[in-house]
Amino acid sequence: MFEHYLKRYGAQLNNIDQQQGTVAAKLSALVEVFVNVRDSNKLCLCGMYTSDISSLAEEVTLPLNSFVEMNERWIARVVEQGVKDGDFIDAFDSKVYARLFFTSMEGSMLLSQFQTSAYIQSVRHGLLSHIVKTKQ
């Protein structure tokens, strides 16, 4: 089951790469994936399984790690491209920022269960406001 989820999710990331023109739009499109899951009154499989991580078999935890690594690699690559293109400031290690971004999306999706999806959007705004270069 999780292998199918990983393939489908990887395809979503590829679609975002192909359909979004700017790096900020790519990160915003990723946020929309989390918003859509939340607005469907669902949780991402990673978040659901993580709450029971101590009772899960290794064959479940390995795909969870793959999901996290896939997201962090993709976000880091987008951030690196944004720095290269001059759209993002070069003040953060891309891998550290990717981890911050991803964990913030996972956490805000969980917390938005008793808020609204606007909670996730406010987290997105805060994260992007610290990395996007302002036009002079």
Side-chain angles (χ1 to χ4, degrees):
M1 175 175 80
F2 212 91
E3 298 302 325
H4 177 70
Y5 180 79
L6 284 173
K7 283 183 183 181
R8 212 175 59 225
Y9 189 81
Q12 276 186 299
L13 294 178
N14 287 333
N15 287 340
I16 291 171
D17 272 333
Q18 294 171 4
Q19 295 173 358
Q20 301 301 321
T22 67
V23 289
K26 289 179 183 189
L27 292 179
S28 290
L30 177 60
V31 171
E32 287 304 312
V33 171
F34 286 86
V35 167
N36 290 337
V37 169
R38 188 265 175 242
D39 285 348
S40 298
N41 292 317
K42 296 179 183 176
L43 290 173
C44 127
L45 283 178
C46 183
M48 288 181 356
Y49 281 127
T50 301
S51 67
D52 291 328
I53 196 76
S54 63
S55 65
L56 297 176
E58 187 174 334
E59 59 265 10
V60 176
T61 61
L62 291 176
L64 286 173
N65 283 325
S66 295
F67 177 76
V68 171
E69 290 167 2
M70 176 192 305
N71 275 282
E72 290 181 355
R73 271 193 316 271
W74 187 87
I75 296 166
R77 186 177 48 76
V78 170
V79 169
E80 290 163 4
Q81 186 63 49
V83 170
K84 181 180 172 190
D85 293 349
D87 295 327
F88 290 166
I89 61 171
D90 189 12
F92 301 99
D93 176 281
S94 63
K95 291 177 183 169
V96 171
Y97 187 83
R99 182 160 289 166
L100 173 66
F101 196 94
F102 178 67
T103 58
S104 295
M105 288 302 99
E106 284 287 339
S108 65
M109 184 171 54
L110 288 172
L111 293 174
S112 73
Q113 296 301 309
F114 58 88
Q115 303 275 331
T116 67
S117 58
Y119 188 85
I120 302 170
Q121 296 290 3
S122 69
V123 172
R124 175 199 58 84
H125 175 73
L127 289 168
L128 287 178
S129 70
H130 286 25
I131 197 170
V132 173
K133 276 189 179 177
T134 55
K135 304 294 181 198
Q136 305 268 340

